[in-house]
Amino acid sequence: MKNNSIKLYERNVLSGQIGLRYNKYIPWLKVKDVKSCAVKSRIYSHRFGRMFHLLSHGEVMAFYQYEWDDSITELREQFPLDPKITIQICDDLKVLHPGYTHGGSVMTTDFVITKKGKRIGEEIYSAVQIKNNLSAINKPRTYTKLEIEHIYWQRKGIPWKIVLSESFNKVFCRNLEFLYPIRNTHFNQEFLCELRNNLRVYLKYEEYRPQDFYNQSISIQSQPIGITEGINILCAKKIWQFNIRDIPYHQCRMSDFKEALYANE
């Protein structure tokens, strides 16, 4: 007998809920659905236009990195796998399907990533499972689930990989974590252009850090804004660039910043 999870999946397929894209996408699992000790977060993305449900600290750090990557056009978390296919894979492998004591459950992949292809309208997909470290993978039941997932995406013709969160660049992650709330705030293009033009002169103070200007402010669109805050905005919006993977943001000097050619907003 099928459990409620698979029945719900089939009902959502018929109602059109499964397969929604972009800002209409609904993750199969939400924060409230999962009882675990892991860090869980609901994070709104201005860029993708919806709330993301992330079920571990590793997923949060991965999200920041994917959101920063301008080549990614769509990001779908807690992506449901078709149980008809995963059940068949389990039969082929002669293993029990996850949730077998209740008749089976819907498996998920942490992230499905979409990038633009070279041809007009072409989309390139990849699937990612986030794990903390190798010891998390080597547990027998976890290893079996990952093998099922691997074969699933193999049959779909979509590249799949495991990403270990312990391998993430810690400097890069800390920088993204600091910049994300600012990056996720909307500023109109006129504001950003005026901010860039007014702060350009501060690049000549090569040995200063952004926080050294904390008590100074300028007027942008007739509103006061702190110099330090303005520099943060320019970096979060990629209007000013720095070696974000290697230099902690708060250690940057003005000489580390370079002006980009355009604003990403």
Side-chain angles (χ1 to χ4, degrees), residues 170-182:
K170 291 181 174 56
V171 171
F172 187 37
C173 287
R174 283 196 293 269
N175 284 337
L176 293 181
E177 189 172 19
F178 170 73
L179 292 172
Y180 183 76
I182 309 165

Side-chain angles (χ1 to χ4, degrees), residues 5-6 8-13 16-21 24-30 33 50 53 55 74-87 97 105-113 127-129 148-149 152-153 156 158 160:
S5 184
I6 291 180
L8 179 61
Y9 178 92
E10 293 179 342
R11 186 162 65 247
N12 285 354
V13 167
Q17 293 298 305
I18 299 293
L20 294 174
R21 298 287 303 274
K24 302 297 183 185
Y25 173 75
I26 302 172
W28 180 254
L29 295 175
K30 298 183 178 180
D33 300 324
R50 67 175 181 85
H53 291 257
L55 306 183
E74 181 185 24
L75 187 62
R76 287 173 281 179
E77 80 282 19
Q78 322 311 336
F79 187 90
L81 310 186
D82 186 340
K84 291 181 181 178
I85 299 176
T86 57
I87 288 170
H97 193 278
S105 61
V106 175
M107 299 179 64
T108 59
T109 288
D110 289 342
F111 292 103
V112 172
I113 299 166
V128 174
Q129 186 68 252
I148 297 166
E149 189 177 345
Y152 179 94
W153 290 111
K156 292 281 186 179
I158 293 174
W160 172 89

Side-chain angles (χ1 to χ4, degrees), residues 1 10 65 78 84 99 103 123 141 151 153 166 201 204 213 221 252:
M1 178 172 293
E10 293 179 342
Q65 294 175 72
Q78 322 311 336
K84 291 181 181 178
E123 293 183 320
R141 188 55 181 160
I151 295 171
W153 290 111
E166 70 172 8
V201 66
K204 70 180 181 181
F213 303 105
Q221 295 187 341
C252 283

Side-chain angles (χ1 to χ4, degrees), residues 199 203 231 234-235 238-241 254 257-259:
L199 290 187
L203 289 171
I231 294 171
L234 292 181
C235 290
K238 299 186 180 180
I239 300 170
W240 282 10
Q241 298 176 342
M254 299 305 290
F257 299 121
K258 298 294 181 288
E259 197 168 10

Side-chain angles (χ1 to χ4, degrees), residues 19-146:
L20 294 174
R21 298 287 303 274
Y22 300 101
N23 65 343
K24 302 297 183 185
Y25 173 75
I26 302 172
W28 180 254
L29 295 175
K30 298 183 178 180
V31 166
K32 65 181 177 61
D33 300 324
V34 179
K35 296 178 181 178
S36 73
C37 296
V39 174
K40 296 175 286 186
S41 302
R42 295 169 72 250
I43 300 177
Y44 182 79
S45 169
H46 169 70
R47 180 186 169 198
F48 293 115
R50 67 175 181 85
M51 189 72 71
F52 279 74
H53 291 257
L54 307 166
L55 306 183
S56 69
H57 180 70
E59 287 186 21
V60 171
M61 293 300 104
F63 167 78
Y64 288 144
Q65 294 175 72
Y66 296 143
E67 195 278 341
W68 183 259
D69 186 343
D70 293 328
S71 71
I72 293 176
T73 58
E74 181 185 24
L75 187 62
R76 287 173 281 179
E77 80 282 19
Q78 322 311 336
F79 187 90
L81 310 186
D82 186 340
K84 291 181 181 178
I85 299 176
T86 57
I87 288 170
Q88 182 59 58
I89 292 170
C90 288
D91 289 343
D92 295 342
L93 294 176
K94 295 180 172 51
V95 297
L96 292 171
H97 193 278
Y100 66 91
T101 54
H102 304 289
S105 61
V106 175
M107 299 179 64
T108 59
T109 288
D110 289 342
F111 292 103
V112 172
I113 299 166
T114 308
K115 294 186 176 185
K116 285 184 180 179
K118 294 181 179 179
R119 295 187 294 273
I120 296 175
E122 180 185 20
E123 293 183 320
I124 299 173
Y125 305 108
S126 60
V128 174
Q129 186 68 252
I130 307 294
K131 292 297 180 186
N132 290 333
N133 47 46
L134 284 175
S135 63
I137 295 173
N138 290 329
K139 296 175 183 177
R141 188 55 181 160
T142 300
Y143 185 87
T144 299
K145 290 178 181 178
L146 292 171

